[in-house]
Amino acid sequence: MAATAQTAGSLWTQYDPGPEYPALTSDIRMDAAVIGGGMAGICAAWELTRTGRRVALVEADRIAFGVTGHTTAKLSALQGTAYSSIRRTRGAVCAQQYAASQQAAVEHVRRLAEDLGLDCEMELTDAYTYVTDPEHTDGIEEEADAARAAGLDAAYVDDVPLPFPTAAAVRLGGQMQFHPRKFLLGLAAELVRHGGRIYERSRVTDLLEGRPCRLTTSAGHTVRADDVVVATHYPVFDRALLFTRLEPKREVVVAGPLPPGSHFPDGMFLTAEDNTRSLRTAPQDGQGRMLIVTGEKFTPGDRKDVGAAARFAALSRWARERVADFTVTHRWAAQDNFTTDHVPYVGRLHPLSDHCYVATGFGGWGLSGGVMSGRLLAGLITGTPSPWSELYEPARLHPLTEVPALLRLQAKAAKHFVGDRLPGGRADTVDDIGPGAGAVLRGRGEGPQAVHRDASGALHRVSARCTHLGCIVHFNEAETTWECPCHGSRFGVDGDVLQGPAVHPLEPVDADSDADSDVDDHG
């Protein structure tokens, strides 16, 4: 298939962008402020608005467009092999609490969509965690047992309705797939109708805790609020050093129309085999259905990785080999953060915080996690904590199960911080950077530079030091972005922040500076 047949963009973000909300242009005083306009942020703002509080939601770009706009939009309490993992690391009671909170999130979305009349392509269906290798069925049996013990009506099955051979699966009925932007744009409209405020293109760059707390945007305007929720996917204000316990991972997604007359079974399907494979279908404007396939986890910005382009190719090839006549028409990538014990961090921003809260670390399940966290945080703020608040408390640390993973993450970040500053590239000068490619140049002038040559041949130069903690970014040619391998910040070729935890753009550099002496990494 020719590359020109593909659209670089998710199915969800191509939907009508909806009303454009204003930027924050003056100082305001509110009861509560929420930073971040994705699933977690909009749900938190909605739940707080329902209590009668005056709430401002502040988003750096457009609401429901970032991470939430690039998911595969599966809402399920069955999440891979989460229950056997949580039972091993946190115990049976925690697994039960996790199951109850996640299933409650699925049901809450269904009720909201029905009660508010949100047309979001909601479809109830079965969720499957499957394997194709018979040697892996023991893990499936363990997960089915753990999910049932946690209170879910899960079943072990050896008949999986996929168009290719499988060995076994866990099946859970009554789960949901939907159009996340249609849901969130509708919920945002209800939020405003009930008195909430939404500000887009207003990046928050500073948080001063107190009573009230004070947020400051890059334009210098402030929001004073009694309570603040940081729902920026990766916390841009990390007073509890959660970045030491979060691992960013990126996955690629391909989609295309199912051939006329073909049938793909109803259901949401996931396996950890082949570096993760996830499949679901979605309606296509009344013209059949689209197949959506996700997989190929990798660390953003890792220069030793095979690269996003190779990941897209591998996933497309895998899908075409299993679904006859499947053609990829759309491709995009999604990013999420994984905690050291497989349970998100939702609660107080740090142990001494009374009025600042955080939601992060959803591990690929940010839709159910975002709904859950919105309800949990609203309960903490209003003095009615949920039964599972302790489960998600960010300050938790379990030495026997978490410390090895924590040390591994810190060793990995330290390796990038030091090792990526050492020479060892595949080019000699800026002349070796071809159109569409990028490289980090080890110049003597203003430090390492991130240089991209666009299709016209023009060069774009910015500092290669991530503005979060100073790690060196690397180029993702498939998505034309600079990415930090330490904590997952992403930037445009001119340095603009695309994804945090960074809140400041890459520094501009002088185009005439001496930075052509050594090229370390290029797309």
Side-chain angles (χ1 to χ4, degrees):
M1 181 192 60
T4 54
Q6 297 185 17
T7 298
S10 86
L11 294 176
W12 323 124
T13 58
Q14 293 174 15
Y15 170 67
D16 180 358
E20 186 165 346
Y21 294 99
L24 183 66
T25 57
S26 63
D27 299 345
I28 60 173
R29 176 69 165 91
M30 306 296 287
D31 296 324
V34 178
I35 312 171
M39 193 70 167
I42 292 177
C43 287
W46 166 251
E47 299 295 340
L48 288 168
T49 298
R50 293 178 64 186
T51 69
R53 283 167 170 76
R54 297 175 302 130
V55 180
L57 185 148
V58 189
E59 162 60 35
D61 192 3
R62 301 296 308 279
I63 64 169
F65 193 85
V67 174
T68 299
H70 292 79
T71 69
T72 47
K74 300 192 300 184
L75 191 64
S76 176
L78 182 65
Q79 302 173 0
T81 55
Y83 296 101
S84 51
S85 175
I86 294 172
R87 186 167 65 175
R88 285 194 300 269
T89 60
R90 301 284 302 274
V93 172
C94 286
Q96 292 168 3
Q97 292 175 333
Y98 189 82
S101 66
Q102 296 297 308
Q103 185 60 38
V106 175
E107 295 168 357
H108 191 61
V109 169
R110 179 182 56 79
R111 288 194 301 269
L112 277 177
E114 293 175 350
D115 294 346
L116 300 176
L118 305 180
D119 181 10
C120 57
E121 301 175 5
M122 182 176 65
E123 298 175 329
L124 296 180
T125 189
D126 293 343
Y128 295 82
T129 297
Y130 74 92
V131 294
T132 61
D133 188 341
E135 293 187 2
H136 296 162
T137 57
D138 287 350
I140 291 297
E141 290 187 26
E142 181 186 7
E143 180 63 17
D145 176 71
R148 285 193 299 268
L152 297 176
D153 188 19
Y156 175 90
V157 296
D158 53 19
D159 183 17
V160 184
L162 280 170
F164 51 86
T166 59
V170 185
R171 182 186 66 210
L172 180 64
Q175 305 307 289
M176 184 188 300
Q177 56 189 23
F178 70 144
H179 193 303
R181 275 180 54 76
K182 287 185 178 182
F183 173 79
L184 286 178
L185 291 178
L187 190 59
E190 289 293 321
L191 165 69
V192 172
R193 192 169 71 85
H194 283 76
R197 301 186 192 179
I198 296 176
Y199 298 97
E200 294 184 321
R201 295 190 172 93
S202 302
R203 185 177 298 278
V204 176
T205 57
D206 189 47
L207 165 62
L208 180 64
E209 296 186 56
R211 191 68 170 179
C213 303
R214 188 178 69 192
L215 307 178
T216 304
T217 69
S218 57
H221 303 297
T222 63
V223 180
R224 296 167 64 219
D226 296 333
D227 296 286
V228 170
V229 172
V230 180
T232 55
H233 187 58
Y234 200 118
V236 294
F237 303 111
D238 196 3
R239 313 291 163 79
L241 299 181
L242 293 180
F243 68 84
T244 65
R245 302 160 65 196
L246 288 170
E247 182 175 20
K249 287 292 183 180
R250 200 157 179 81
E251 288 184 292
V252 299
V253 187
V254 297
L258 289 170
S262 67
H263 172 72
F264 192 88
D266 294 334
M268 303 180 294
F269 305 88
L270 173 70
T271 181
E273 294 175 332
D274 299 313
N275 194 17
T276 307
R277 294 293 185 262
S278 168
L279 305 96
R280 63 155 288 197
T281 64
Q284 185 188 15
D285 299 325
Q287 304 295 319
R289 297 186 71 85
M290 298 285 286
L291 175 63
I292 305 170
V293 186
T294 307
E296 293 292 313
K297 279 191 176 72
F298 65 99
T299 299
D302 187 349
R303 66 175 178 172
K304 294 184 179 179
D305 188 77
V306 298
R311 300 286 186 189
F312 278 116
L315 190 65
S316 299
R317 183 171 57 252
W318 183 91
R320 289 195 298 269
E321 289 172 350
R322 286 159 179 79
V323 180
D325 300 321
F326 175 64
T327 299
V328 175
T329 58
H330 294 70
R331 69 176 201 173
W332 66 93
Q335 188 162 313
D336 212 338
N337 304 301
F338 293 75
T339 68
T340 50
D341 68 351
H342 310 290
V343 175
Y345 300 132
V346 184
R348 294 174 299 165
L349 184 60
H350 58 84
L352 300 180
S353 179
D354 290 325
H355 302 288
C356 292
Y357 305 85
V358 67
T360 188
F362 296 116
W365 299 98
L367 297 186
S368 59
V371 176
M372 174 279 299
S373 64
R375 302 178 74 196
L376 188 155
L377 294 177
L380 291 177
I381 290 171
T382 59
T384 55
S386 75
W388 39 78
S389 295
E390 187 175 347
L391 169 69
Y392 293 101
E393 169 59 49
R396 69 182 187 268
L397 181 63
H398 306 278
L400 292 180
T401 56
E402 288 190 69
V403 168
L406 188 152
L407 294 176
R408 176 183 61 81
L409 291 181
Q410 293 322 295
K412 181 178 178 181
K415 179 180 178 181
H416 283 296
F417 190 86
V418 176
D420 289 354
R421 284 166 164 74
L422 302 176
R426 295 173 289 171
D428 296 320
T429 72
V430 70
D431 294 334
D432 294 316
I433 304 174
V440 173
L441 278 67
R442 306 293 177 176
R444 293 187 295 272
E446 302 178 37
Q449 296 182 15
V451 182
H452 165 66
R453 187 186 299 276
D454 63 27
S456 70
L459 293 176
H460 302 255
R461 299 175 184 246
V462 289
S463 170
R465 291 193 179 96
C466 177
T467 55
H468 176 225
L469 290 178
C471 293
I472 302 300
V473 299
H474 298 290
F475 193 63
N476 177 341
E477 185 172 351
E479 299 182 78
T480 320
T481 55
W482 294 104
E483 299 177 347
C484 176
C486 291
H487 306 106
S489 294
R490 302 175 66 245
F491 305 86
V493 294
D494 291 319
D496 297 336
V497 178
L498 301 178
Q499 195 159 356
V503 296
H504 299 291
L506 297 176
E507 294 288 339
V509 297
D510 184 357
D512 296 326
S513 63
D514 179 9
D516 294 353
S517 59
D518 187 24
V519 177
D520 178 71
D521 176 68
H522 71 115

